[in-house]
């Protein structure tokens, strides 16, 4: 049972507590993490009113329930499709437990991961939410040696209490919450504050090395318009101690707020991390809103373009190395093109293994569009994205791809973005970069790249790889 002072004293000394105090919804969630049971025990209470249906974003969340009890401490059955709370003039509460060990079992559906003494769990697997909970505060009480990392807006953090606020992103947009004996910290990075959590690994990751690496990646994306696109983001660094490269896997998630998850081989040296493109690529995704499956080719293309251009601007790559890496990517995209249109390849990317076609077609689109804007319209992709950021980021909804491109056309006062989209999306060929390369003074013979010396071409190439001086006000 959840009883008063005694319960709170036991919880603070032995587990993690989460108390979410709702605003207008007048709901509260009290969550106790028991490290011995490896389980979360939740009590959720709601104000008097009409009937409510609580849902979890994970449709299989009910499989990990240990128990579920409703008002009057009655057992709740058939909860697969949600908890139903009847209308009442009194406050209504439910209680349930979630087995994290079962959720992390590789032989099950794998909705959680265990890293040392820490758990990483999808919030949609344990948090059964009521409609309209945006703006609710999440107050987390925890032992001093435990930390919490979540993508929700961070309001405050003290030794034994962390406060978040839920945002308006759809509840179906899942996210990861980490619980364990680690110490989250704020890392200043190109005008923003990254909320970094480095989980415990074996061997432990070197915090100084991670800071240097993340700072370089932030400088890379910050070069687009002088600062990071967002004031804050969750950065979850998970040492897995394996892989033939520093970052075997990474992703960006949008649920509850923007999050960057980096799964690393912590045994690689600093030089390998600084040479790696992955963090710069993932941070570049913060430049645009969530574009859904149909916009994947452009999202990955923008990130692939800026992972090279941005790193050159940040001094992490030489100018020539940036052009060579871009050209090598375009070559991989050409070899992977086959007979599908870009639209088809984007849709079947995983099944047909068309990753290179999709990613590098998008990067070619970004380069060609950027060059055209600079040559003929007195602006640049940097400046257009900067104006988009000022008007629309952070974005808490899905943007349709054509809606996004139309907005970029409006901002730039051109028709370049949609016109170039129409030229490439149903083509069975890799985007034609002949005119773009000519303007840049680039000649290519298979894998060999030659950079011309004409003043106009040199000036254009330098313009693309030198840092911009635009610092936007957030007001």
């Amino acid at each position: 049972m959840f009883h008063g002072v005694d319960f709170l004293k036991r919880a603070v000394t032995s587990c993690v507590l989460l108390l979410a105090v709702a605003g207008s919804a007048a709901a509260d969630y009290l969550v106790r993490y028991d490290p011995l049971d490896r389980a979360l025990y939740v009590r959720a209470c709601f104000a008097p009113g009409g009937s409510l249906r609580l849902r979890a974003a994970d449709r299989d969340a009910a499989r990990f329930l240990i128990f579920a009890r409703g008002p009057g401490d009655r057992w709740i059955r058939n909860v697969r499709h949600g908890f139903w709370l009847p209308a009442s003039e009194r406050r209504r509460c439910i209680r349930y437990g979630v087995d994290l060990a079962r959720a992390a079992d590789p032989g099950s559906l794998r909705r959680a991961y265990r890293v040392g003494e820490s758990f990483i769990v999808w919030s949609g697997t344990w948090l059964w939410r009521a409609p309209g909970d945006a703006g609710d505060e999440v107050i987390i009480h925890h032992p001093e040696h435990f930390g919490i990392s979540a993508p929700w807006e961070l309001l405050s953090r003290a030794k034994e209490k962390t406060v978040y606020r839920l945002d308006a992103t759809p509840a179906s947009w899942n996210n990861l919450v980490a619980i364990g004996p680690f110490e989250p910290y704020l890392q200043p990075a190109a005008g923003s504050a990254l909320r970094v959590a480095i989980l415990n690994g074996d061997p432990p990751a070197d915090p100084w090395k991670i800071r240097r690496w993340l700072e370089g990646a932030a400088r890379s994306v910050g070069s687009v318009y002088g600062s990071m696109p967002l004031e804050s983001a969750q950065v979850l660094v998970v040492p897995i101690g394996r892989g033939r490269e520093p970052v075997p896997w990474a992703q960006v998630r949008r649920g509850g707020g923007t999050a960057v998850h980096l799964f690393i081989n912590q045994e690689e040296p600093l030089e390998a991390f600084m040479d790696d493109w992955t963090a710069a690529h993932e941070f570049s995704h913060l430049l645009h809103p969530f574009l859904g499956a149909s916009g994947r080719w452009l999202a990955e293309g923008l990130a692939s373009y800026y992972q090279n251009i941005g790193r050159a601007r940040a001094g992490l790559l030489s100018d020539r190395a940036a052009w060579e890496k871009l050209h090598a990517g375009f070559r991989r995209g050409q070899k992977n093109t086959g007979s599908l249109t870009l639209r088809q390849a984007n849709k079947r990317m995983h099944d047909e293994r068309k990753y290179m076609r999709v990613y590098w077609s998008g990067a070619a689109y970004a380069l060609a569009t950027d060059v055209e804007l600079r040559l003929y319209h007195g602006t640049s992709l940097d400046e257009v994205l900067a104006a988009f950021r000022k008007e629309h980021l952070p974005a808490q909804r899905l943007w349709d791809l054509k809606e996004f491109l139309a907005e970029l056309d409006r901002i730039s006062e051109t028709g370049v973005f949609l016109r170039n989209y129409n030229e490439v999306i149903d083509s069975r060929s890799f985007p034609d970069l002949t005119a773009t390369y000519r303007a840049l003074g680039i000649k290519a013979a298979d894998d060999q790249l030659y950079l011309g010396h004409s003043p106009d071409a040199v000036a254009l190439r330098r313009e693309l790889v030198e840092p911009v001086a635009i610092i936007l006000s957030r007001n």
Side-chain angles (χ1 to χ4, degrees):
M1 300 294 289
F2 290 68
H3 288 300
V5 175
D6 290 339
F7 165 74
L8 291 176
K9 286 181 178 178
R10 291 196 306 271
V12 170
T13 56
S14 65
C15 62
V16 176
L17 286 177
L18 178 150
L19 175 62
V21 182
S24 59
D28 60 73
Y29 298 83
L30 178 64
V31 180
R32 178 171 64 90
Y33 170 59
D34 189 322
L36 296 179
D37 292 350
R38 300 175 189 172
L40 291 169
Y41 297 106
V42 182
R43 184 180 71 177
C45 295
F46 301 87
S51 61
L52 287 174
R53 184 179 186 183
L54 310 185
R55 292 176 178 268
D58 179 0
R59 64 182 180 180
D60 293 308
R63 298 192 184 193
F64 307 108
L65 289 174
I66 301 170
F67 66 88
R69 294 173 182 169
D73 214 28
R74 296 188 301 272
W75 288 97
I76 301 176
R77 304 187 185 280
N78 301 320
V79 297
R80 179 178 176 83
H81 300 293
F83 295 137
W84 286 95
L85 291 180
S88 175
E89 297 180 356
R90 296 183 177 183
R91 190 169 175 80
R92 299 153 292 171
C93 298
I94 63 168
R95 296 192 303 128
Y96 60 91
V98 179
D99 188 340
L100 294 186
R102 186 192 308 165
D105 183 356
S108 72
L109 297 174
R110 200 62 180 272
R111 296 299 196 268
Y113 308 88
R114 190 170 186 190
V115 182
E117 298 177 56
S118 300
F119 274 102
I120 310 172
V121 58
W122 294 107
S123 67
T125 299
W126 64 268
L127 187 60
W128 294 73
R129 299 171 59 172
D133 58 3
D136 292 357
E137 289 186 357
V138 179
I139 304 173
I140 305 174
H141 294 270
H142 49 81
E144 187 174 343
H145 67 283
F146 263 63
I148 305 290
S149 176
W152 305 307
E153 179 189 357
L154 178 66
L155 299 182
S156 67
R157 174 178 284 133
K159 286 185 178 180
E160 298 180 351
K161 184 173 73 171
T162 306
V163 182
Y164 293 102
R165 176 185 290 132
L166 299 178
D167 73 357
T169 53
S172 60
W173 292 11
N174 221 336
N175 58 64
L176 288 177
V177 176
I179 305 172
F182 55 84
E183 185 175 353
Y185 66 91
L186 293 178
Q187 178 168 339
S192 72
L194 302 176
R195 293 182 282 115
V196 182
I198 306 172
L199 271 60
N200 46 313
D202 185 17
D206 180 349
W208 177 82
K209 180 169 66 178
I210 300 303
R211 284 176 180 266
R212 286 282 308 277
W213 170 50
L214 295 179
E215 193 276 334
R219 285 204 324 271
S220 173
V221 71
S223 74
V224 177
Y225 37 69
S227 66
M228 285 282 282
L230 304 177
E231 292 183 355
S232 183
Q234 178 198 29
V235 179
L236 191 59
V237 181
V238 185
I240 58 176
R242 61 180 184 273
R244 293 179 293 179
E245 52 194 356
V247 193
W249 181 57
Q251 65 176 357
V252 168
R253 304 292 298 194
R254 311 282 184 165
T258 301
V260 180
H261 305 146
L262 302 162
F263 293 76
I264 67 168
N265 181 356
Q266 68 273 29
E267 299 187 69
E268 292 287 331
L270 174 63
E271 293 75 16
F273 278 92
M274 299 305 288
D275 288 342
D276 189 77
W277 54 268
T278 313
H281 178 98
E282 300 304 332
F283 282 177
S284 294
H285 279 306
L286 310 188
L287 294 163
H288 62 82
F290 180 47
L291 299 176
S294 66
R296 179 168 46 206
W297 67 273
L298 181 59
E300 298 297 350
L302 287 170
S304 298
Y305 176 58
Y306 277 116
Q307 79 188 37
N308 293 299
I309 293 295
R311 284 191 296 153
R313 294 172 177 178
L316 301 173
L317 286 178
S318 69
D319 295 357
R320 181 174 185 85
W323 295 116
E324 287 176 342
K325 288 181 180 295
L326 279 170
H327 180 66
F330 298 148
R331 290 278 293 162
R332 292 194 294 273
Q334 289 170 336
K335 291 176 181 178
N336 188 231
T337 293
S339 61
L340 298 178
T341 67
L342 177 56
R343 190 192 305 273
Q344 292 168 335
N346 182 73
K347 186 176 181 179
R348 306 178 200 171
M349 184 180 76
H350 298 297
D351 294 338
E352 302 280 346
R353 302 192 66 79
K354 292 297 182 181
Y355 301 102
M356 295 298 101
R357 167 72 189 286
V358 170
Y359 279 49
W360 290 101
S361 291
Y365 171 95
L367 174 61
T369 301
D370 200 359
V371 167
E372 184 176 351
L373 290 170
R374 292 171 187 268
L375 285 178
Y376 304 114
H377 299 283
T379 186
S380 67
L381 184 57
D382 299 340
E383 292 178 84
V384 175
L385 290 176
F388 181 89
R389 186 278 295 267
K390 194 171 184 179
E391 293 186 36
H392 300 295
L393 295 184
Q396 298 186 1
R397 66 174 180 88
L398 169 70
W399 277 68
D400 175 76
L401 175 59
K402 294 184 76 172
E403 175 194 15
F404 176 61
L405 296 175
E407 181 62 6
L408 299 186
D409 274 337
R410 183 195 68 79
I411 290 169
S412 64
E413 298 181 344
T414 72
V416 168
F417 289 91
L418 279 171
R419 190 195 71 228
N420 288 355
Y421 162 83
N422 288 327
E423 288 179 0
V424 302
I425 193 63
D426 290 313
S427 173
R428 299 182 187 277
S429 303
F430 191 81
D432 185 2
L433 290 171
T434 303
T436 302
Y437 270 28
R438 185 184 305 117
L440 292 166
I442 295 175
K443 294 183 180 180
D446 295 326
D447 295 328
Q448 297 298 313
L449 204 64
Y450 304 92
L451 303 180
H453 300 291
S454 73
D456 288 345
V458 170
L460 181 58
R461 292 200 306 270
R462 184 179 297 121
E463 188 180 317
L464 284 164
V465 296
E466 285 188 344
V468 295
I470 302 172
I471 307 295
L472 293 179
S473 169
R474 292 189 182 273
N475 297 326

